[in-house]
């Protein structure tokens, strides 16, 4: 039985879009679910769009996401090179074979002629076939040789049969059939000597023994052209898995292809926005794939066992940021305290510069309350500097705290806490509980007054005693005394 091999073949054009990452994930899972290999190939034949540093972004993204490739430019393999710009002689050799056997031809049409042809076809009254008109398709050999000898610039085009149909079976979209007359004589080798995607990926997938090709549904209609190239060489084409679009929903509820106007759409953006890679991978795995159960939480190892490409839906998937946020919150709470502390510390330090405060204790207050890590700094601003009290600071129906009870509770709390020697959460709690009992108040009435005086804000990541313990006795009492003048 042939070993399953899949590939992820991104172009180094910048960031890693979520759609690209889903393609990588599904290709990885298709291989790993069947004991196969996952290949990374860099498709950089479009040199004009190449972005400096983008290849490293690809490496970093796959590493952070946990998608370890078995072959690639970073780890080698028996079918390299794995960067297309390093494979130019290979493409030239195979393109020449197609020319020699009559399945491709030299095209000498100038940019000006092609532009004029395009302009004519844009006319609403144009009645002919759109696309390249085959002007150079049947040039006499003597004319071709003369043009080549003269150094006339050219491209190499595929010579598509003009009759019959080309069909294939797609795992997601089923049987696809296209009349050959509708297909274009696509460019295989450009004038600069670089291959197009249309040609290079076919040659590479064959030579790298790729058995399953996973890519976006925009290639469904173009795939027959690629199959004709396979057939021209006498090669067997791989199994195709075309993925549905990922759509985004704007504030008005309008749905369109996912883009930056819907929010963070790159993996890098999401990491910077405080999402965990495990949560992102879990969520995007469900953007098109149906586990056939009500389960939603899957580790990558679990996905490797459960995933089947046959369970991918053909309908577009809607990217729901609220759902992703929910996933992220679940994963934050699943972290061990130490894991969470390591991830949270940089965000804590954005707001808490005072090194005397115990950041581990601060982290412990946060873990069960967060949906993403970037929410951390906004909850901690009061530690370094007490803010002006919020305008609705005295309203608290739940604790029944009022303008009359708060100063009384606060004054008695200060008196009690000044004599407290063991400044720990537990001792602080019982001390304030005794204050409440002595005043005939509910414990929440006292806790609320103390917390507000210590933080100056209604919403805090922990209760009164949690915060007092972190602030320490001296700073806590200073704030509480200052708070008496504010109520």
């Amino acid at each position: 039985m042939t070993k399953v091999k899949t590939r992820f073949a991104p172009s180094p054009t910048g960031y890693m879009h979520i759609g690209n990452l889903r393609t990588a994930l599904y290709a990885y899972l298709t291989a790993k679910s069947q004991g196969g290999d996952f290949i990374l190939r860099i498709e950089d034949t479009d040199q004009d769009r190449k972005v400096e540093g983008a290849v490293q972004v690809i490496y970093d993204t796959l590493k952070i996401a946990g998608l370890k490739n078995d072959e690639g430019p970073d780890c080698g393999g028996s079918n390299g090179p794995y960067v297309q710009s390093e494979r130019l002689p290979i493409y030239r050799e195979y393109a020449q074979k197609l020319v020699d056997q009559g399945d491709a031809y030299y095209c000498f049409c100038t940019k000006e002629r092609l532009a004029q042809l395009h302009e004519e076809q844009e006319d609403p009254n144009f009645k002919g076939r759109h696309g390249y008109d085959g002007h150079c398709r049947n040039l006499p050999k003597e004319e071709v040789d003369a043009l080549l000898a003269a150094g006339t610039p050219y491209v190499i085009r595929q010579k598509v049969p003009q009759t019959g149909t080309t069909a294939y079976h797609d795992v997601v979209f089923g049987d696809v059939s296209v009349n050959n007359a509708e297909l274009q004589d696509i460019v295989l080798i450009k004038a600069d000597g670089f291959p197009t995607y249309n040609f290079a990926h076919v040659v590479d997938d064959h030579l790298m023994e790729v058995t399953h090709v996973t890519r976006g549904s925009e290639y469904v209609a173009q795939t027959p052209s690629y199959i004709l190239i396979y057939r021209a060489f006498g090669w067997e084409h791989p199994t195709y898995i075309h993925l549905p679009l990922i759509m985004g929903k704007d504030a008005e509820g309008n749905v369109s292809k996912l883009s930056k106007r819907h929010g963070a759409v790159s993996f890098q953006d999401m990491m910077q926005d405080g999402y965990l890679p495990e949560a992102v991978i879990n969520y995007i795995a469900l953007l098109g794939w149906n586990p056939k159960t009500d389960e939603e939480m899957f580790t990558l190892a679990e996905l490797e066992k459960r995933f089947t490409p046959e369970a991918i839906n053909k309908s577009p998937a809607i990217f729901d940021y609220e759902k992703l946020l929910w996933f992220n919150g679940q994963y934050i709470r699943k972290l061990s305290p130490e894991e969470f502390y390591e991830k949270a510390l940089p965000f804590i330090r954005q707001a808490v510069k005072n090194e005397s405060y115990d950041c581990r204790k601060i982290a412990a207050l946060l873990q069960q309350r967060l949906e993403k890590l970037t929410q951390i700094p906004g909850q901690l601003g009061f530690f370094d500097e007490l803010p002006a009290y919020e305008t609705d600071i005295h309203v608290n129906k739940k604790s029944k705290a009022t303008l009359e009870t708060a100063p009384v509770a606060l004054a008695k709390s200060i008196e009690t806490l000044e004599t407290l020697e063991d400044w720990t959460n537990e001792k602080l709690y019982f001390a304030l509980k005794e204050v409440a009992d002595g005043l005939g108040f509910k414990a929440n009435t006292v806790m609320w007054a103390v917390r507000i005086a210590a933080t100056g804000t209604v919403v805090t990541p922990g209760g009164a005693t949690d915060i007092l313990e972190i602030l320490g006795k001296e700073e806590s009492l200073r704030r509480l005394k200052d708070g008496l003048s504010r109520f």
Side-chain angles (χ1 to χ4, degrees), residues 371-431:
E371 290 182 302
K372 58 180 179 178
L373 298 176
T374 46
Q375 295 170 343
I376 291 175
Q379 299 187 36
L380 304 178
F382 64 85
F383 273 106
D384 278 3
E385 185 177 356
L386 190 64
Y389 280 17
E390 297 174 4
T391 55
D392 61 346
I393 207 76
H394 304 301
V395 179
N396 194 298
K397 296 179 181 179
K398 182 178 180 181
S399 67
K400 296 186 178 179
T402 67
L403 285 172
E404 291 74 31
T405 61
V408 175
L410 197 53
K412 188 61 178 177
S413 296
I414 293 170
E415 179 185 327
T416 300
L417 295 177
E418 281 183 322
T419 63
L420 187 67
E421 294 184 3
D422 188 356
W423 200 264
T424 60
N425 197 333
E426 182 179 7
K427 296 298 184 182
L428 285 164
Y429 176 81
F430 285 115

Side-chain angles (χ1 to χ4, degrees), residues 461-483:
T465 57
D466 297 312
I467 293 166
L468 292 182
E469 181 183 35
I470 294 169
L471 289 173
K473 185 173 183 177
E474 182 180 347
E475 178 63 14
S476 295
L477 289 172
R478 185 190 71 78
R479 292 188 180 201
L480 297 184
K481 290 174 182 178
D482 183 55

Side-chain angles (χ1 to χ4, degrees), residues 281-299:
I281 288 296
N282 190 160
Y283 178 65
I284 67 171
L286 301 174
L287 289 177
W289 173 70
N290 187 345
K292 307 298 185 184
T293 70
D294 293 332
E295 296 173 88
E296 292 184 300
M297 305 293 289
F298 297 97
T299 65

Side-chain angles (χ1 to χ4, degrees), residues 12-13 44 46-52 54-55 83 85:
T13 56
D44 63 344
D46 191 344
Q47 294 287 294
D48 292 337
R49 296 179 61 224
K50 187 176 180 180
V51 173
E52 189 69 28
V55 172
V83 177
S85 59

Side-chain angles (χ1 to χ4, degrees), residues 10-195:
S11 298
T13 56
Y15 63 87
M16 179 78 80
H17 188 278
I18 286 301
N20 299 131
L21 184 57
R22 186 190 64 172
T23 298
L25 175 62
Y26 282 11
Y28 173 88
L29 294 175
T30 296
K32 297 306 171 183
S33 64
Q34 301 177 70
D37 288 342
F38 173 61
I39 300 171
L40 173 64
R41 184 173 71 230
I42 303 299
E43 297 195 342
D44 63 344
T45 57
D46 191 344
Q47 294 287 294
D48 292 337
R49 296 179 61 224
K50 187 176 180 180
V51 173
E52 189 69 28
V55 172
Q56 190 61 48
V57 169
I58 294 168
Y59 294 156
D60 292 344
T61 299
L62 294 182
K63 181 178 180 180
I64 294 170
L67 308 182
K68 187 180 187 308
N69 50 295
D70 301 288
E71 299 178 31
D74 55 336
C75 62
S78 58
N79 294 309
Y82 294 92
V83 177
Q84 286 188 333
S85 59
E86 300 173 12
R87 299 172 61 82
L88 300 186
I90 298 174
Y91 307 128
R92 183 71 202 196
E93 174 190 349
Y94 281 95
Q96 190 61 50
K97 285 183 179 180
L98 291 182
V99 172
D100 292 344
Q101 65 191 40
D103 292 302
Y105 60 93
Y106 296 105
C107 174
F108 302 94
C109 292
T110 63
K111 291 182 179 179
E112 292 74 20
R113 182 184 184 279
L114 294 174
Q116 181 181 352
L117 183 65
H118 178 72
E119 184 178 344
E120 291 172 356
Q121 293 176 359
E122 288 294 299
D123 188 324
N125 297 317
F126 180 76
K127 302 297 184 182
R129 182 177 181 232
H130 285 72
Y132 182 64
D133 62 356
H135 178 75
C136 297
R137 183 182 173 102
N138 296 307
L139 290 178
K141 185 178 184 306
E142 297 76 13
E143 186 176 347
V144 171
D145 291 343
L147 288 168
L148 292 175
T152 307
Y154 65 86
V155 301
I156 295 179
R157 290 183 180 273
Q158 178 185 18
K159 183 179 280 189
V160 175
Q162 296 179 314
T163 60
T165 60
T166 300
Y168 71 99
H169 179 80
D170 182 81
V171 171
V172 177
F173 288 85
D175 294 329
V176 179
S177 179
V178 175
N179 291 324
N180 293 336
E182 299 175 12
L183 300 175
Q184 301 291 323
D185 283 357
I186 56 178
V187 174
L188 306 181
I189 301 291
K190 297 178 288 187
D192 61 5
F194 277 76

Side-chain angles (χ1 to χ4, degrees), residues 188-334:
L188 306 181
I189 301 291
K190 297 178 288 187
D192 61 5
F194 277 76
T196 60
Y197 165 82
N198 301 320
F199 184 56
H201 87 275
V202 170
V203 173
D204 288 344
D205 285 344
H206 173 74
L207 296 180
M208 294 179 185
E209 303 172 297
V210 171
T211 62
H212 294 68
V213 168
T214 302
R215 61 186 174 210
S217 59
E218 64 269 25
Y219 292 104
V220 168
Q222 191 63 45
T223 296
S225 292
Y226 310 148
I227 289 176
L228 288 171
I229 298 174
Y230 278 100
R231 289 178 181 172
F233 284 123
W235 300 338
E236 183 178 346
H237 69 75
T239 298
Y240 291 105
I241 306 168
H242 286 102
L243 308 179
L245 288 173
I246 299 178
M247 311 295 282
K249 187 182 294 184
D250 62 23
E252 288 74 38
N254 300 312
V255 174
S256 58
K257 189 174 181 180
L258 186 67
S259 65
K260 278 188 175 290
R261 68 189 182 89
H262 296 115
V265 296
S266 79
F267 187 69
Q268 297 95 307
D269 288 343
M270 289 185 171
M271 295 302 98
Q272 292 173 4
D273 202 23
Y275 291 95
L276 301 183
E278 298 85 356
V280 175
I281 288 296
N282 190 160
Y283 178 65
I284 67 171
L286 301 174
L287 289 177
W289 173 70
N290 187 345
K292 307 298 185 184
T293 70
D294 293 332
E295 296 173 88
E296 292 184 300
M297 305 293 289
F298 297 97
T299 65
L300 185 59
E302 289 167 343
L303 287 169
E304 291 176 18
K305 296 176 182 177
R306 296 284 298 276
F307 183 85
T308 57
E310 289 77 15
I312 298 173
N313 300 316
K314 67 175 67 174
S315 301
I318 305 295
F319 195 100
D320 185 341
Y321 285 92
E322 290 300 317
K323 188 68 173 180
L324 174 60
L325 205 58
W326 178 85
F327 267 100
N328 205 58
Q330 298 299 309
Y331 272 87
I332 285 175
R333 285 180 272 288
K334 285 171 61 178

